[in-house]
């Protein structure tokens, strides 16, 4: 049996009450730990966090997220800290609440020293989410305490004698020589020049966030807007070079041009080289709109990337600079997934999982009209498209082959089916196939072998070659759903990129296992990988193109797991 560590200062009754509250399924979702300054609130929360973070502890007492106390209280920094520790992505309270509601698992969040009404209102919003429990420390009489104490929450007022064992307090006092347990608030951070991009990349992230949160739109030459777009990534424990790259990727074309050059220089030591970004509001070239799916062009569309979004069309933009190259009207539906056959045929999945084909970029066949009329039967391409139209899927991907190539379609049951030059089916996931990528891999005298990479809602990326058994072990795995995958045969061999539901994008050299990670900050909707190794990352507010730098990471990042 695990030994129960006693809290300091004779606070055993309060500790027992906290544990009882955590175990009571009918208790209010918020426990407010209140009292005057120096009464031991912070020490009690520190004990709870230590007790709830030990391996092998009871699941009902596990603490999943702790917001670091800061003299600069910020709602956004609080949201980003909670989201990051829970392995989700949220730009603001309006996104955090539904994301956690959709997750549904029991989650205990500890918020020390809450003072203002804004963070207290966030607490009340989270309190309505099933499965969420919040332990909130607030000094009696503070604006946060006044708001929360009248909300029907449970309250431990440590100024009341019932929450301290006087005999144990006397014993503790004799051994420690102090009358109170005081956990001091961190000292105010140094003043940061919010106009200086290099300075903000080196400064305390919560201090910068709080300052930009108080500032007006348009202040600081566009640096404020870039920080607030990418904030969750910037508030992680990142080195200044990685922060500079993240800020540079989120910088709009209306920003002070000196910012981009300063950030590019500061980002030189990062794992990536920034190529270009297209941000909401950009005019030259224009922002292509919110991204729901991406695909690298083939055949007549080589050198382009296809961007789908809620507009009901596919935008074709240049790989070199993100400038507009064309648009494909696909109908009144919302595209969910897109891929391109070797001849330039664009395949799009609608929201119902049906395949739509557009051949407006395909080269017209040569020869007379009479000769074409004399050809008997449908072409191989027409047969392939007819077979695809009879299939319902959740993701689609194409790769070149000796004739038509191969088209892979995944479904909600975890099965992936191949059509075209190679056919077959395999169940690769427990649950929905979220994303697919396909490659035609040159293999000696055999010519080309198809390889399908599948990303699932079960948090795995698996490889399968039609006609063979799937690889037993996943190529990548996290405690987070896969949002998008793509693959390319680069000069160094096959490469894979994966976008995860926790906001991370990984670039993986399949043969060596070398990895690079990029976290843009907002939720990543789609990724695409070009033959030269360039990576495109699509989000609601911007599209960024990166090239691999000189530094790679040998192992993937871990994420905090919840039961």
């Amino acid at each position: 049996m695990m030994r129960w560590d006693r809290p300091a200062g004779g606070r055993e009754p309060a500790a027992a009450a906290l544990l009882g509250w955590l175990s009571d399924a009918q208790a209010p979702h918020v426990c407010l730990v209140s009292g005057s300054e120096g009464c031991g609130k912070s020490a009690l929360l520190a004990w709870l966090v230590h007790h709830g973070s030990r391996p092998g502890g009871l699941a009902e007492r596990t603490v999943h997220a702790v917001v670091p106390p800061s003299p600069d209280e910020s709602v956004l920094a609080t949201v980003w800290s909670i989201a990051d520790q829970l392995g989700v992505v949220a730009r603001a309270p309006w996104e955090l609440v539904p994301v956690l509601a959709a997750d549904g698992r029991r989650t205990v969040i500890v918020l020390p020293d809450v003072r203002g009404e804004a963070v207290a209102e966030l607490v009340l919003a989270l309190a309505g989410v099933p499965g969420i429990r919040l332990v909130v420390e607030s000094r009696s009489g503070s604006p946060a305490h006044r708001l929360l104490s009248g909300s029907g929450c449970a309250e431990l007022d440590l100024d009341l004698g019932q929450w301290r064992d006087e005999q144990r307090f006397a014993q503790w006092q004799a051994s420690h020589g102090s009358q109170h347990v005081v956990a001091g608030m961190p000292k105010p951070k140094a003043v940061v020049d919010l106009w200086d991009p290099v300075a903000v990349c080196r400064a305390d992230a919560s201090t910068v966030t709080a300052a930009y949160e108080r500032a007006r739109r348009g202040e600081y030459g566009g640096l404020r807007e870039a920080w607030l777009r990418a904030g969750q990534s910037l508030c992680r424990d990142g080195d200044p070079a990685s922060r500079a790259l993240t800020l540079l990727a989120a910088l709009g074309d209306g920003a002070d041009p000196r910012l981009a050059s300063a950030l590019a220089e500061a980002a030189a030591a990062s794992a990536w080289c920034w190529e270009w970004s297209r941000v909401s509001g950009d005019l030259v070239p224009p922002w292509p709109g919110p991204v729901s799916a991406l695909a690298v062009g083939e055949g007549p569309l080589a050198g382009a990337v296809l961007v789908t979004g809620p507009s009901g069309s596919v935008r074709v933009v240049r790989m070199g600079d993100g400038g507009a190259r064309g648009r494909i009207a696909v109908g009144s539906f919302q595209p969910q997934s897109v891929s391109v056959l070797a001849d330039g045929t664009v395949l799009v999945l609608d929201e119902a999982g049906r395949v739509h084909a557009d051949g407006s970029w395909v080269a017209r066949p040569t020869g007379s009209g009479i000769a074409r009329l004399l050809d008997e039967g449908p072409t191989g391409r027409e047969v392939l498209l007819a077979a695809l139209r009879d299939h319902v899927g959740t993701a689609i991907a194409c790769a070149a082959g000796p004739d038509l190539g191969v088209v892979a379609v995944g479904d909600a049951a975890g099965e992936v089916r191949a059509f075209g030059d190679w056919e077959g089916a395999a169940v690769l996931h427990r649950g929905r196939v979220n994303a697919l990528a396909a490659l035609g891999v040159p293999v000696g005298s055999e010519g080309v072998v198809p390889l399908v990479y599948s990303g699932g809602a079960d948090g795995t990326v698996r490889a399968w070659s039609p006609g063979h058994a799937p690889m037993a072990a996943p190529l990548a795995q996290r405690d987070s759903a896969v949002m998008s995958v793509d693959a390319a045969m680069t000069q160094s061999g096959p490469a894979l990129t994966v976008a995860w539901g926790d906001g991370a994008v990984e670039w993986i050299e399949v043969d060596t296992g070398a990895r690079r990670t990029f976290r843009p900050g907002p939720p990543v909707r789609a990724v695409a990988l070009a033959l030269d190794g360039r990576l495109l990352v699509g989000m609601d507010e911007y599209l960024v193109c990166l090239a691999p730098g000189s530094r790679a990471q040998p192992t993937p990042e871990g994420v905090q797991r919840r039961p």
Side-chain angles (χ1 to χ4, degrees):
M1 181 180 294
M2 181 174 290
R3 185 175 179 271
W4 186 62
D5 293 332
R6 293 185 179 277
R11 289 298 182 187
E12 285 87 351
L18 265 179
L19 297 182
W21 169 78
L22 283 171
S23 303
D24 185 357
Q26 303 303 316
H29 285 196
V30 179
C31 182
L32 177 62
V33 179
S34 63
S36 57
E37 182 178 4
C39 69
K41 300 185 298 297
S42 297
L44 180 62
L45 261 66
W47 169 85
L48 178 66
V49 171
H50 172 72
H51 183 83
S53 303
R54 296 181 301 175
L58 296 176
E60 65 189 19
R61 297 180 179 179
T62 300
V63 172
H64 302 98
V66 184
V67 178
S70 171
D72 302 294
E73 196 169 72
S74 163
V75 175
L76 289 178
T78 301
V79 167
W80 296 335
S81 177
I82 293 171
D84 199 57
Q85 292 178 68
L86 298 182
V88 299
V89 187
R91 289 164 286 185
W94 58 265
E95 199 163 57
L96 179 63
V97 171
V99 165
L100 294 184
D103 185 280
R105 286 176 289 182
R106 176 182 171 86
T107 304
V108 176
I109 303 169
V110 176
L111 295 97
D113 196 46
V114 176
R115 305 180 299 281
E117 288 188 354
V119 175
E121 289 172 353
L122 171 64
V123 169
L124 293 178
L126 291 172
V129 177
I132 297 289
R133 292 294 184 96
L134 301 113
V135 184
V136 183
E137 173 199 352
S138 187
R139 185 183 305 177
S140 295
S142 68
H145 176 260
R146 289 195 297 269
L147 180 61
L148 293 174
S149 62
S151 66
C153 65
E155 183 169 357
L156 280 174
D157 184 348
L158 297 190
D159 287 338
L160 300 178
Q162 71 194 73
W163 300 124
R164 184 163 66 191
D165 184 317
E166 294 298 338
Q167 181 179 354
R168 290 202 174 273
F169 174 63
Q171 294 172 351
W172 178 87
Q173 187 180 30
S175 61
H176 288 77
S178 173
Q179 292 187 348
H180 297 288
V181 181
V182 180
M185 171 62 58
K187 295 180 180 179
K189 307 294 182 180
V191 176
V192 181
D193 182 358
L194 299 175
W195 286 94
D196 184 346
V198 177
V200 299
C201 288
R202 297 180 180 277
D204 175 70
S206 62
T207 299
V208 176
T209 300
Y212 282 148
E213 201 171 0
R214 293 190 297 265
R216 297 186 304 272
R217 176 181 289 274
E219 283 192 86
Y220 304 110
L223 196 58
R224 171 188 178 271
E225 283 70 27
W227 183 281
L228 296 182
R229 284 188 195 104
Q232 185 171 333
S233 177
L234 297 166
C235 286
R236 289 174 61 87
D237 293 330
D239 62 274
S242 297
R243 281 186 175 179
L245 176 75
T246 302
L247 261 182
L248 181 59
L251 202 64
D253 70 357
D256 186 324
R258 293 171 294 183
L259 294 174
S261 58
L263 287 170
E265 183 176 350
S270 73
W272 296 96
C273 297
W274 175 78
E275 297 270 314
W276 51 262
S277 298
R278 294 293 163 255
V279 180
S280 175
D282 282 3
L283 299 176
V284 183
W287 173 55
V291 177
S292 61
L294 295 171
V296 174
E298 299 284 349
L301 288 165
V305 59
L306 280 68
V307 182
T308 74
S311 62
S313 65
V314 178
R315 287 92 68 200
V316 183
V317 303
R318 295 189 296 269
M319 180 72 72
D321 63 359
R325 184 172 160 184
R327 184 182 292 263
I328 301 171
V330 294
S332 59
F333 61 86
Q334 302 299 316
Q336 303 298 306
S337 183
V338 63
S339 194
V340 187
L341 289 169
D343 65 357
T345 300
V346 177
L347 302 180
V348 183
L349 279 186
D350 64 21
E351 57 267 71
R354 297 293 182 181
V355 180
H356 301 256
D358 180 272
S360 57
W361 290 74
V362 178
R364 299 300 176 216
T366 57
S368 69
I370 295 176
R372 291 197 298 272
L373 287 172
L374 293 175
D375 289 339
E376 294 184 2
T379 65
R381 175 178 175 273
E382 291 168 342
V383 172
L384 172 62
L385 295 180
L388 292 172
R389 290 190 184 101
D390 290 335
H391 197 75
V392 175
T394 56
I396 193 167
C398 308
D403 185 14
L404 299 170
V406 64
V407 179
V409 180
D411 66 22
E415 184 180 69
V416 178
R417 184 172 295 275
F419 301 85
D421 294 345
W422 299 272
E423 296 186 349
V427 176
L428 302 182
H429 300 280
R430 298 185 307 274
R432 175 187 168 102
V433 176
N434 281 353
L436 289 173
L439 280 180
V441 181
V443 181
S445 60
E446 296 183 41
V448 176
V449 171
L451 194 58
V452 176
Y453 298 100
S454 177
D458 60 0
T460 64
V461 178
R462 297 187 177 274
W464 169 59
S465 181
H468 300 81
M471 290 182 62
L475 287 175
Q477 185 171 12
R478 295 173 78 93
D479 186 28
S480 183
V482 177
M483 307 307 293
S484 178
V485 296
D486 199 14
M489 184 58 67
T490 67
Q491 291 183 347
S492 58
L496 178 71
T497 185
V498 186
W500 301 91
D502 64 2
V505 175
E506 282 189 305
W507 185 93
I508 305 169
E509 289 184 2
V510 176
D511 291 341
T512 65
R515 299 171 185 244
R516 303 171 192 268
T517 302
F518 175 61
R519 285 183 177 268
V524 177
R525 307 304 184 190
V527 289
L529 192 60
L531 291 176
D532 58 8
R534 280 186 290 182
L535 169 67
L536 291 107
V537 181
M539 295 153 282
D540 291 342
E541 290 188 62
Y542 55 109
L543 173 66
V544 59
C545 180
L546 305 172
S550 58
R551 182 163 58 90
Q553 299 163 332
T555 57
E557 294 181 66
V559 295
Q560 181 169 335
R561 293 179 178 270
R562 286 185 287 170

